[in-house]
Amino acid sequence: MPESILSVENLTKCFPTKQGLVRAIDGISFVMAPGDTLGLVGESGSGKTTTAQCIVGMYPPTSGDILFKGETIGAAFNRRPKHVKGDLRIVFQDPGSSLNPKRTIKQILSVPLAVHRVGTSRDRLARMKALLEMVELPADEYLYKYPQAIGGGEKQMVALARALATNPSLVLLDEPTSALDVSVQAKIINLLIRLRRELNLTYLFITHDLSLMRNVASRVAIMYLGKLCEIAPTVEFFEHPVHPYTKMLLSSIPVVSDEEEALKPHKAISKGEIPSPVNIPPGCSFHSRCSERGDSCAELDPEMREIAPGHVVRCNHWCGPEGE
Amino acid sequence: MALLEVKDLCVGYRIFEGHLRVLNRARLEVDSGERVGLVGETGCGKTTTVKSILRVLPTPPAEVASGEILYRGADILRMSHRGIRDLRRREMTAIFQDPLQSLNPMFTVGTQLRDILKDSMGGRGRGRLSRREIEARCIAALHETGMPDPERIMHNYPSQLSGGMRQRVCIAEALSREAQLLLADEPTTNLDVTIQDQILRKLDELVDEKGTSVLIITHSMGVVRDLTQRMYIMYAGTMVETGRTKDLLAAPRHPYTQGLMESVPRLTGVGISDGIPGRIPNYLDPPSGCRFHPRCVHVMPVCKETAPEFFSVGEGHVVACYLYRS
Amino acid sequence: MWQEKRADLAASFALRRRGLAKGWYKFSRNPLSVVGLVVLVVIVLATGLASYITPYPAHAGPYTNFKAAGQPPSWEHLFGTDRIGRDVFTRVIFGYRFSLLLGIVVLGLGVAPGVILGLIAGYHRGTWVETTIMRVTDVFLAVPPLVLALAITAMLTPSLLNEMFAIALLWWPWYCRLVFAVSSSMRNQFFIREAEFSGASEAHILFREMLPNCLAPILTKMTLDMGIVILLGASLSFVGLGAQPPTPCLGTMVADGAKRLPGEWWSTIFPALAIVLVILAFNLVGDGLRDVFAVEEV
């Protein structure tokens, strides 16, 4: 067993556009151990989805490396060996568009099984039923339905079953519950947690919902304008947020109880909007919205610094625990 | 008298599979100057309720079976077209989830804002605004929403703005005509948290200033907590609980509300419950009695027979559940 | 094992039947579509059984009877007779046979290549593959259709077969464009992405994932196009470039009769009405299909 299951090294992805070069991801690095659940959190336009898409091979990265179980898989999906495609799966945000509306659940589930030749064609029907049971859907009823006949949460469960059809070890979850209601989200999240335990899965969980990550992730990473701002183990992250952007995010979360209200950092009132990625501010890209901005921030792009075991921050202003 | 009162509204849809009985005696009240939240999950009939209030339900397939929607005592459902148009023009205003759909992509923000002002304040005779006054009001309205550089924004097309900016334009449009009642249907659902926070704070401020009554429809408990004084919980076409927002969120009484609150991921990291067993009922054949009874852990024989009335559990806090019958 | 297989088949069959029932419900919401469908079914049945139901089947072939020439409509000759004594009603029914044949063959020849090219271009959006396919399509679309058809049929000998060939050559680019528009907007849908990531073949993606989602507009357009193709065929025949006499062809009949207007109006008005009727029927059915495929709002 290799030490890390996924390791992203200095990943950069640029898109040429009419307005100029967009640096959607700008040199991010992180490592995931087997069994990890890394929450990659950011606003829209932060590059979190592009990161997932690079890892899954939708685009080849501009530079940098993606190592999966010690093997470089940087190329786009059509160059990847088949076993990697089966071992690294993705669940998309919008269950409506990730299931073909003109195909039955049975047809949908049969694709990965057929492509990866899981089992003989004879026991595939049994396998499909087992997959549906695994995601807690009554198989005989759901196999012969079209996606539009089932609810959003059930669609996402089918998408999850499809992802698990090839026995993957790493699953990318691209906002899997953000289109769902909380009571359905709760079901899916608990299902995900159970499956991770039972099938030894590793999750890269892409989301904008920090309160959800508080309950699911083992580590949390924050992205802003294509760069990572802060990575920390979950408890540390929520108890000692360091980066001003992290604090701003935390303070913006609408909460439902006074205990939670007390946990939010209150000094960091949100202001401004995420700048266009064509026009990234010089220096620290967050300085235009930062409440703790120093003089050097507009010029000096900060480095990633490890300030506690596993707690990495990219901020000029942070000067040790006593500086807080 | 309440500003807006929805009384026992029943609305259904006729489709191939049969008759969907969505709204089942929905009740709602908004007092003058009050801010009310309506919370429910997808498919609970929130949008049907708003559409009924604005009278924009597509009929067919929708049909109002019974009930009344009283605005200052006049029934919206029985109003003439002229009456409802005047109401929309001067009294009610709405913000929707997707600002890209409520703004016309072919016209600049300025054009759209001016048209709205002309329509609601212009008209003929006295009280008519001059072109310069309208221009000034538009800019002021944009400025109020915290928009940087409103003069420039006036010349922009909606596609040139970010989602947050577009929603600010919609808010400016909605509030510029000084309506009495603002209906906000998931106004911040598509926005990032930091932007949502800013928009909600701004909306809060503006509504306070103008004394507008607000009915905000959302699925987010947090948004309701930030913005409203009183809230309704809706399940499967019926209101199941209402009370002061703070009280209700602190001590939810209806089993559905309790299940919902336990499903909300907390910043305290206490974990997430298993959600509510089962799923929202099929409106073709909704459960008898209390529509929540097939999913309820406290189900009693009486729940299957007749739908519960509201029982009081505190000051202004009422619950439609037999558990609180005493 | 067998039992399971049977249950599997039965369930798939039930699903399909339900889909059809729902489609019919939506179609029948519009009474005009049903009228169109009834008319169409009657026409198709009539052409199929033409030899049995028409009063003078021999009149469809080389036949002359100058004694009966130019008779106005009567019980004996419902639509009257033409200048060489043939029963117009009989010839209209047989004329339908060739019109429908023309429509079916032309669309059969034109749609398949158009759809396949459109799918390929849509899937490879933004690459040289798309550019090549779509620019060739544009060239075909730039030439006025009637002129091209005239040129082709004039070059070859005028016959029904060449007419079909000429029109089919004009027809594929429209389907290519239509399918390209639908499939390229589908390109970035997650279900296509997912199929790619899981390693499905291109053929699978094109024909199993994308094609079913393009079928609705294709079928609707085909129905509406049947009318246009029939009209175009009639126009070509009208100017003498279609089926040659004595083959009964609606366009030729209108042209022949037109020379004798307004005296023998029946020999031109009835074939013309027949053309109008079939086109109208196809359009009504097309509208109905559009309703069937429309996304429900509820």
Side-chain angles (χ1 to χ4, degrees):
Chain A
M1 197 80 176
E3 205 174 303
S4 74
I5 188 159
L6 180 80
S7 127
V8 171
E9 286 165 15
N10 225 349
L11 185 71
T12 302
K13 177 68 197 169
C14 303
F15 294 102
T17 66
K18 279 178 199 141
Q19 289 88 34
L21 201 64
V22 172
R23 304 177 80 83
I25 315 175
D26 197 357
I28 63 167
S29 308
F30 61 85
V31 178
M32 287 179 70
D36 233 0
T37 300
L38 177 64
L40 188 58
V41 182
E43 289 180 282
S44 41
S46 63
K48 59 188 194 300
T49 296
T50 313
T51 308
Q53 287 168 343
C54 274
I55 293 171
V56 87
M58 188 157 146
Y59 321 107
T62 308
S63 68
D65 241 344
I66 302 168
L67 297 164
F68 179 65
K69 293 186 171 169
E71 191 182 349
T72 304
I73 52 156
F77 66 89
N78 44 13
R79 303 266 174 77
R80 281 188 183 174
K82 211 178 209 175
H83 73 265
V84 174
K85 287 184 195 171
D87 212 2
L88 193 169
R89 302 279 285 161
I90 183 163
V91 175
F92 293 101
Q93 168 180 12
D94 181 4
S97 116
S98 75
L99 303 181
N100 191 335
K102 298 286 178 201
R103 289 167 70 79
T104 61
I105 310 282
K106 183 181 160 216
Q107 287 170 319
I108 288 168
L109 285 178
S110 67
V111 176
L113 293 177
V115 170
H116 293 275
R117 299 183 203 289
V118 179
T120 60
S121 62
R122 208 186 291 165
D123 50 39
R124 263 177 216 156
L125 192 65
R127 169 82 178 145
M128 285 188 257
K129 286 184 179 172
L131 280 170
L132 283 180
E133 301 288 352
M134 196 151 80
V135 295
E136 294 166 10
L137 289 177
D140 289 315
E141 191 184 327
Y142 278 80
L143 222 39
Y144 305 98
K145 280 189 175 184
Y146 284 102
Q148 69 256 43
I150 62 179
E154 284 140 13
K155 281 185 202 164
Q156 204 57 294
M157 291 179 186
V158 171
L160 190 61
R162 175 176 61 186
L164 298 177
T166 53
N167 295 319
S169 43
L170 175 65
V171 182
L172 302 186
L173 304 162
D174 186 2
E175 309 238 22
T177 58
S178 64
L180 305 175
D181 286 311
V182 278
S183 72
V184 182
Q185 166 174 286
K187 245 176 258 177
I188 301 265
I189 292 296
N190 282 304
L191 177 66
L192 284 170
I193 293 173
R194 181 172 66 77
L195 289 171
R196 178 187 61 197
R197 220 174 30 231
E198 285 172 12
L199 305 174
N200 285 323
L201 296 171
T202 307
Y203 292 142
L204 176 56
F205 206 125
I206 287 141
T207 179
H208 62 264
D209 189 344
L210 270 174
S211 13
L212 182 62
M213 284 306 100
R214 177 70 185 84
N215 297 288
V216 178
S218 53
R219 282 196 306 148
V220 182
I222 297 280
M223 254 184 117
Y224 186 75
L225 278 176
K227 288 181 180 167
L228 287 172
C229 300
E230 185 163 3
I231 311 180
T234 306
V235 175
E236 163 96 358
F237 180 93
F238 284 92
E239 280 171 11
H240 308 287
V242 170
H243 198 283
Y245 179 57
T246 310
K247 292 184 203 162
M248 188 200 263
L249 277 178
L250 284 170
S251 83
S252 304
I253 299 173
V255 294
V256 298
S257 67
D258 293 334
E259 302 93 76
E260 292 175 86
E261 199 75 64
L263 288 174
K264 299 204 305 194
H266 280 277
K267 279 181 286 178
I269 300 288
S270 85
K271 63 173 186 186
E273 291 195 9
I274 192 163
S276 149
V278 189
N279 227 330
I280 294 179
C284 170
S285 54
F286 185 63
H287 81 259
S288 55
R289 299 171 74 185
C290 186
S291 56
E292 303 171 31
R293 169 173 53 182
D295 300 330
S296 59
C297 292
E299 287 125 41
L300 189 67
D301 193 11
E303 305 259 304
M304 291 297 261
R305 268 188 296 176
E306 184 155 12
I307 58 167
H311 193 163
V312 183
V313 179
R314 199 172 56 81
C315 180
N316 283 327
H317 216 62
W318 194 83
C319 39
E322 65 280 2
E324 270 287 280
Chain B
M1 185 176 59
L3 182 67
L4 176 78
E5 193 175 357
V6 177
K7 275 186 174 172
D8 290 335
L9 186 65
C10 298
V11 177
Y13 294 88
R14 285 206 184 277
I15 57 161
F16 163 67
E17 284 83 359
H19 188 196
L20 295 175
R21 277 171 288 229
V22 179
L23 289 194
N24 178 31
R25 301 181 65 198
R27 295 169 197 181
L28 188 83
E29 261 178 51
V30 182
D31 280 331
S32 221
E34 195 185 23
R35 297 197 223 156
V36 177
L38 176 59
V39 178
E41 295 186 287
T42 313
C44 75
K46 287 178 301 201
T47 307
T48 303
T49 311
V50 186
K51 282 186 173 171
S52 310
I53 296 172
L54 289 167
R55 223 173 86 176
V56 291
L57 267 183
T59 46
E63 54 183 39
V64 179
S66 61
E68 300 179 308
I69 301 173
L70 304 175
Y71 184 85
R72 293 188 198 280
D75 191 347
I76 291 179
L77 294 171
R78 281 164 196 79
M79 245 176 222
S80 65
H81 273 280
R82 204 194 179 82
I84 190 79
R85 201 183 55 200
D86 281 349
L87 202 64
R88 286 190 204 135
R89 194 186 267 179
R90 298 182 202 284
E91 299 282 339
M92 293 200 289
T93 173
I95 311 172
F96 297 100
Q97 177 173 355
D98 187 357
L100 208 50
Q101 275 182 20
S102 21
L103 295 173
N104 189 330
M106 298 308 287
F107 296 98
T108 60
V109 168
T111 315
Q112 301 186 44
L113 211 48
R114 273 193 292 269
D115 283 352
I116 285 172
L117 275 176
K118 265 187 227 160
D119 187 56
S120 59
M121 313 242 175
R124 281 166 209 90
R126 284 190 302 150
R128 186 183 159 179
L129 298 174
S130 73
R131 189 184 278 186
R132 193 170 298 167
E133 280 172 310
I134 288 183
E135 190 74 20
R137 280 227 196 178
C138 291
I139 291 175
L142 286 178
H143 189 76
E144 275 179 346
T145 61
M147 190 91 83
D149 204 1
E151 285 88 353
R152 190 176 54 81
I153 300 283
M154 289 283 279
H155 299 289
N156 281 0
Y157 287 91
S159 59
Q160 296 169 312
L161 304 177
S162 69
M165 288 296 182
R166 281 185 211 128
Q167 200 56 288
R168 281 178 208 260
V169 172
C170 287
I171 291 175
E173 283 187 355
L175 295 180
S176 64
R177 58 179 119 172
E178 284 164 15
Q180 293 301 307
L181 175 65
L182 171 68
L183 296 170
D185 188 358
E186 308 264 7
T188 56
T189 305
N190 283 346
L191 304 175
D192 284 314
V193 274
T194 56
I195 309 299
Q196 162 170 297
D197 187 46
Q198 294 171 39
I199 298 257
L200 287 180
R201 261 188 285 136
K202 207 72 214 179
L203 198 61
D204 190 36
E205 228 176 273
L206 288 176
V207 166
D208 241 9
E209 216 171 88
K210 297 183 195 270
T212 319
S213 317
V214 181
L215 176 60
I216 182 165
I217 289 91
T218 177
H219 63 265
S220 162
M221 298 279 189
V223 167
V224 170
R225 184 171 180 274
D226 281 353
L227 215 58
T228 67
Q229 296 142 358
R230 205 157 59 78
M231 69 188 282
Y232 288 90
I233 304 279
M234 196 168 182
Y235 175 77
T238 333
M239 286 27 175
V240 295
E241 186 166 2
T242 174
R244 279 197 301 233
T245 307
K246 286 265 150 80
D247 302 347
L248 201 155
L249 289 179
R253 294 304 181 87
H254 196 281
Y256 173 68
T257 320
Q258 289 169 348
L260 210 54
M261 289 299 289
E262 280 163 23
S263 306
V264 176
R266 305 296 179 100
L267 218 44
T268 43
V270 290
I272 298 177
S273 81
D274 260 332
I276 305 168
R279 55 181 288 192
I280 204 150
N282 184 349
Y283 288 115
L284 285 174
D285 182 23
S288 61
C290 172
R291 282 188 170 185
F292 187 63
H293 86 252
R295 302 174 74 181
C296 186
V297 280
H298 307 289
V299 62
M300 298 178 280
V302 63
C303 303
K304 297 178 187 165
E305 279 149 30
T306 39
E309 292 297 311
F310 282 117
F311 301 107
S312 177
V313 291
E315 198 198 332
H317 189 167
V318 296
V319 184
C321 180
Y322 286 116
L323 287 176
Y324 306 96
R325 187 161 33 172
S326 61
Chain C
M1 193 65 228
W2 275 110
Q3 250 169 352
E4 225 169 46
K5 196 98 192 165
R6 266 233 317 266
D8 180 44
L9 278 174
S12 310
F13 184 71
L15 192 71
R16 191 141 301 170
R17 217 180 49 192
R18 247 184 78 72
L20 284 178
K22 184 161 187 179
W24 171 247
Y25 170 84
K26 289 204 233 164
F27 187 86
S28 59
R29 290 291 87 181
N30 185 351
L32 277 179
S33 314
V34 181
V35 170
L37 187 68
V38 169
V39 170
L40 215 54
V41 168
V42 169
I43 290 177
V44 169
L45 283 180
T47 55
L49 304 169
S51 324
Y52 305 105
I53 59 159
T54 51
Y56 313 98
H59 292 203
Y63 175 89
T64 47
N65 177 10
F66 289 105
K67 266 188 266 168
Q71 288 183 6
S74 63
W75 282 116
E76 217 171 313
H77 300 286
L78 274 180
F79 292 177
T81 58
D82 66 5
R83 69 192 159 83
I84 51 173
R86 293 175 297 194
D87 181 44
V88 176
F89 177 71
T90 305
R91 289 183 63 80
V92 164
I93 300 292
F94 275 95
Y96 266 145
R97 183 181 268 187
F98 289 99
S99 289
L100 289 180
L101 192 68
L102 174 84
I104 291 167
V105 173
V106 164
L107 290 180
L109 287 178
V111 172
V115 167
I116 294 172
L117 286 173
L119 282 174
I120 295 175
Y123 181 66
H124 293 280
R125 191 178 69 181
T127 66
W128 62 269
V129 179
E130 179 231 308
T131 318
T132 317
I133 294 177
M134 294 322 288
R135 289 306 81 80
V136 172
T137 310
D138 287 347
V139 169
F140 272 87
L141 287 174
V143 184
L146 201 57
V147 175
L148 188 64
L150 281 174
I152 295 170
T153 37
M155 217 158 61
L156 308 165
T157 48
S159 73
L160 187 67
L161 203 69
N162 285 337
E163 189 185 4
M164 289 175 177
F165 171 72
I167 304 179
L169 206 58
L170 303 176
W171 230 258
W172 71 267
W174 292 105
Y175 284 87
C176 188
R177 271 265 282 267
L178 174 78
V179 172
F180 172 71
V182 181
S183 60
S184 67
S185 69
M186 201 191 315
R187 178 68 186 88
N188 278 334
Q189 293 262 10
F190 289 133
F191 63 83
I192 303 289
R193 290 287 176 204
E194 159 60 36
E196 286 178 351
F197 295 151
S198 58
S201 66
E202 185 169 332
H204 172 93
I205 294 172
L206 290 186
F207 296 111
R208 292 288 178 78
E209 305 280 349
M210 289 168 103
L211 184 60
N213 286 286
C214 300
L215 277 184
I218 293 175
L219 283 178
T220 311
K221 186 170 165 59
M222 274 173 81
T223 320
L224 296 173
D225 275 2
M226 275 296 276
I228 304 174
V229 170
I230 288 171
L231 188 65
L232 193 61
S235 318
L236 285 178
S237 308
F238 185 83
V239 294
L241 291 172
Q244 293 304 299
T247 316
C249 173
L250 295 174
T252 326
M253 290 163 74
V254 175
D256 275 355
K259 291 170 200 147
R260 294 166 171 260
L261 277 175
E264 294 175 15
W265 53 269
W266 53 86
S267 60
T268 175
I269 293 296
F270 284 116
L273 280 180
I275 297 177
V276 171
L277 184 70
V278 73
I279 294 175
L280 190 66
F282 272 117
N283 276 304
L284 292 177
V285 172
D287 281 348
L289 281 182
R290 205 178 322 211
D291 292 340
V292 170
F293 295 129
V295 183
E296 282 155 275
E297 291 244 339
V298 181

